[in-house]
Amino acid sequence: MKKYIILTISTVILAFSSACAQADLSKFNSDLAVFDDALGLTLKKNVKKKTVNAIVNPAIKEVATAILAKNYKPQYKYASYQAILNPRTLGRDLSIGDGYSKYENITGVYLEQGEHVILVDGIDEGKEVKLFVPNWLRKAPNPEKPTEDPNGWGLHKQEFTLKNGANVIKLDKYGSLAYVVYFSDHPEKENPIKVHFITGKENGYFDIAKHKDGDWNAFIDNAVYPILDAKGKHIQTAYPVESLKKYAYGRGVELISNYDTLVYRQHRLMGLVKYNKVPENRILSRVNYNYYMFRDVDGVAYMGDKSGYAMRLVVNPDVVIKGDPCWGFSHEVGHVHQTRPMFNWGGLGEVSNNLFSLYVTRSFGNKTRISEQKNYDKSRTDIIEKGISYLADPDVFNRLVPFWQLQLYFEGEGQNPDFYPDLFEEFRKQETARGTSRTGDWASDRRRGERNPAVHQLNFVKTACEIAKVDLTDFFSKYGFFYVGKLEYDDYGKYTYNMTQEMVDKCLSGIKALNLPKPKIDITTLRD
């Protein structure tokens, strides 16, 4: 059920127009009539103290009184908002699904449970602008079993459509922070909109582009809501004030900078830096109260509770770039960046994202997990020596080894450090050329189109050889990329791998025709 109904029922969208004349909203019409503009920032010339004192609505009266006294200076309750590229469009352009933030236009305004008046101006005809009020504090009915939440682990929200003029909304379930949802396929062509929250309290938000650590501390100390928003160049966070104060007080710039760097390095591996495709959109990293760490359609989430749990790992600027915390954050963001389906066929759901984890964690000077877990030895014993497909190995870290060894080779003796950036770019071109009707929704897209992992696997092999200008067939053969037969397994859905000898022969003949040199060494022997 939609959470808003225009004009006539409990939640009212009121505009300064004749269309609203029949609505029984005289108390708001009368009170709002004192303003000389649609945004409620100036009073009519004839409005005096007596008129202001007669205003019925307390919030409108408070604003009018402050304006009359010439001391109304809202920092967050009034702001202009630019359109942002629709994250679904971004996902389609980058072949990564719909994982970037839907909450980018942070208002810094806390709306308590109850009725609120919001004035809006600048929405062009035919454009849809919404207000999201997410339930950041939602917990499972049984806190002793947070994973068994009948309402799922996802982010719940109250949602309202905004119109030019006055909007009256009712938060009947909970109060929370507010976010303006203003997306476009061509944001550079859109006009900014202006929003004035007559009601609500200013919680503020940290913006690394204009704030320092002193501001960070002030936001924490003066927060009126338990969650504080922050945004960097590539990341957006919504974390508990208590955790920020405990683990990152005085270090906001460092924390958000570390996050930005973690995401940027994934962009670099994806070729977004080289090919000038780094998105202006951000990834949302938020608190949740259901599970340790996960990724969903709203971004990435880390658990918070009285003991801190995951918060102590991802909020401490020192810890988040070290060891398991660095891996964990990179792992979840890596899920957002998985290229579908060219490098995320069935069986790689918990593999191709970890290529990013390896790249980022090592770039910060950490030992790689596959090295510490001895997966190089395990993959040789369990895959190469047994002559099976790497997809038949239940250990996702063993499956990861061949993809990482390609990175080790090309950054070293292969003398092609742009191997993966170029490969990702080629996959994006291929997906564009396919001209498929992808929805941008990662879950539904995985159920659409070609389901046979073998098809995408062979495409990976051939494309990798073309991009590298190296015949990698011996390497891929050792890991069973040409395994002929049928495999059935589950990877966030049921998959049937079905490889025929004809498919293999066609792939091999295509690579042979390229007349490429062999690698300088046996790539399967490489380890970091």
Side-chain angles (χ1 to χ4, degrees):
M1 178 181 293
K2 291 184 178 180
K3 303 300 190 300
Y4 61 88
I5 303 176
I6 296 178
L7 296 179
T8 58
I9 306 184
S10 59
T11 301
V12 181
I13 305 301
L14 167 64
F16 290 131
S17 70
S18 58
C20 302
Q22 296 179 353
D24 183 19
L25 301 167
S26 57
K27 63 177 181 178
F28 293 109
N29 282 328
S30 177
D31 289 347
L32 292 170
V34 302
F35 296 117
D36 194 39
D37 65 316
L39 285 166
L41 298 171
T42 59
L43 299 176
K44 291 179 178 177
K45 292 182 179 180
N46 62 341
V47 171
K48 305 299 180 183
K49 187 174 182 179
K50 181 178 179 180
T51 305
V52 171
N53 288 339
I55 293 175
V56 176
N57 184 275
I60 298 175
K61 185 176 182 178
E62 181 180 351
V63 171
T65 300
I67 293 175
L68 188 65
K70 297 182 179 180
N71 62 4
Y72 186 59
K73 299 177 182 179
Q75 289 185 280
Y76 296 95
K77 291 176 67 176
Y78 169 70
S80 178
Y81 298 92
Q82 298 286 340
I84 295 170
L85 179 64
N86 192 315
R88 180 162 291 188
T89 303
L90 173 67
R92 190 164 55 242
D93 291 344
L94 299 183
S95 300
I96 59 172
D98 185 16
Y100 272 70
S101 177
K102 285 81 172 172
Y103 298 84
E104 286 224 49
N105 270 322
I106 303 168
T107 69
V109 176
Y110 165 53
L111 301 179
E112 297 176 293
Q113 187 173 356
E115 197 170 60
H116 293 278
V117 180
I118 306 166
L119 307 184
V120 181
D121 192 30
I123 301 177
D124 292 332
E125 185 176 355
K127 301 297 180 183
E128 182 180 69
V129 178
K130 292 187 176 184
L131 188 76
F132 283 177
V133 185
N135 188 358
W136 295 121
L137 305 178
R138 186 180 72 85
K139 297 182 179 181
N142 182 355
E144 300 300 319
K145 297 181 179 180
T147 62
E148 299 178 16
D149 191 336
N151 298 310
W153 299 351
L155 185 57
H156 293 197
K157 64 181 178 294
Q158 294 179 78
E159 179 179 327
F160 308 89
T161 292
L162 298 177
K163 304 294 182 183
N164 286 328
N167 300 260
V168 179
I169 67 170
K170 187 176 182 180
L171 300 176
D172 55 2
K173 297 180 179 179
Y174 53 82
S176 187
L177 301 174
Y179 303 81
V180 173
V181 184
Y182 182 25
F183 292 124
S184 171
D185 289 344
H186 303 283
E188 71 283 356
K189 297 181 180 180
E190 309 292 354
N191 295 317
I193 63 170
K194 297 178 179 179
V195 180
H196 183 194
F197 292 88
I198 296 294
T199 52
K201 298 178 180 179
E202 293 190 338
N203 199 57
Y205 64 90
F206 179 83
D207 184 347
I208 199 170
K210 59 184 180 182
H211 292 136
K212 303 299 181 183
D213 283 334
D215 303 304
W216 170 266
N217 289 350
F219 286 127
I220 292 173
D221 293 338
N222 299 304
V224 297
Y225 184 70
I227 301 295
L228 179 66
D229 288 305
K231 69 176 182 179
K233 187 174 183 180
H234 307 298
I235 196 73
Q236 168 191 354
T237 64
Y239 288 156
V241 172
E242 181 181 7
S243 296
L244 296 176
K245 190 165 189 174
K246 184 175 181 179
Y247 301 112
Y249 197 72
R251 304 178 69 185
V253 172
E254 184 181 3
L255 176 63
I256 301 304
S257 293
N258 283 350
Y259 274 145
D260 276 343
T261 302
L262 286 161
V263 177
Y264 178 81
R265 293 183 188 191
Q266 294 202 10
H267 288 162
R268 188 168 63 198
L269 186 65
M270 294 172 68
L272 301 183
V273 176
K274 179 177 180 178
Y275 292 96
N276 195 30
K277 293 183 177 181
V278 175
E280 294 185 8
N281 296 57
R282 296 172 176 83
I283 292 174
L284 170 63
S285 181
R286 70 183 196 270
V287 68
N288 87 94
Y289 295 94
N290 291 103
Y291 189 68
Y292 181 46
M293 296 181 180
F294 64 87
R295 179 259 170 167
D296 62 9
V297 295
D298 285 313
V300 298
Y302 304 94
M303 193 168 189
D305 61 11
K306 292 182 180 180
S307 65
Y309 205 21
M311 285 293 107
R312 63 184 171 82
L313 304 180
V314 297
V315 175
N316 186 319
D318 294 327
V319 174
V320 75
I321 59 173
K322 299 295 182 183
D324 282 349
C326 184
W327 177 279
F329 182 85
S330 302
H331 171 98
E332 301 304 344
V333 173
H335 275 305
V336 176
H337 285 145
Q338 283 175 302
T339 298
R340 316 170 195 282
M342 306 301 192
F343 193 10
N344 193 30
W345 54 86
L348 297 192
E350 293 293 340
V351 176
S352 56
N353 63 313
N354 279 333
L355 181 69
F356 295 109
S357 305
L358 286 168
Y359 181 81
V360 173
T361 53
R362 193 182 63 155
S363 73
F364 277 102
N366 300 292
K367 292 183 178 179
T368 66
R369 182 170 288 192
I370 59 173
S371 177
E372 291 187 311
Q373 295 177 167
K374 303 186 184 306
N375 291 108
Y376 291 111
D377 294 329
K378 292 177 182 177
S379 64
R380 176 166 293 278
T381 300
D382 295 343
I383 300 174
I384 295 177
E385 293 181 3
K386 291 182 179 179
I388 67 170
S389 164
Y390 71 102
L391 289 174
D393 190 324
D395 189 331
V396 295
F397 295 102
N398 287 350
R399 292 184 220 163
L400 176 61
V401 169
F403 298 105
W404 183 241
Q405 285 178 326
L406 289 173
Q407 172 66 20
L408 295 178
Y409 176 70
F410 287 110
E411 71 181 16
E413 286 205 49
Q415 298 181 345
N416 184 3
D418 284 343
F419 168 71
Y420 269 118
D422 292 342
L423 186 62
F424 277 106
E425 176 65 8
E426 180 59 28
F427 287 149
R428 288 188 286 269
K429 290 179 180 178
Q430 290 178 1
E431 183 67 357
T432 298
R434 286 204 314 159
T436 56
S437 57
R438 300 184 68 220
T439 67
D441 181 283
W442 73 276
S444 63
D445 283 337
R446 294 183 74 154
R447 295 190 292 268
R448 296 163 66 94
E450 178 57 65
R451 291 282 297 175
N452 184 1
V455 173
H456 302 301
Q457 183 172 287
L458 290 180
N459 181 68
F460 182 92
V461 169
K462 187 171 187 296
T463 306
C465 293
E466 292 171 340
I467 291 298
K469 295 181 173 55
V470 176
D471 185 340
L472 299 166
T473 53
D474 292 340
F475 167 75
F476 285 119
S477 179
K478 289 183 179 181
Y479 280 107
F481 277 70
F482 302 118
Y483 176 82
V484 174
K486 183 178 289 187
L487 301 171
E488 294 184 350
Y489 49 84
D490 188 279
D491 185 32
Y492 298 106
K494 299 292 183 182
Y495 285 92
T496 299
Y497 166 103
N498 190 6
M499 183 79 80
T500 66
Q501 189 61 51
E502 182 181 5
M503 293 166 63
V504 172
D505 291 344
K506 182 178 180 181
C507 178
L508 291 175
S509 64
I511 296 172
K512 185 177 181 180
L514 297 174
N515 195 29
L516 299 171
K518 295 288 187 176
K520 299 176 182 179
I521 59 173
D522 181 354
I523 299 177
T524 67
T525 64
L526 293 178
R527 56 185 67 198
D528 58 277

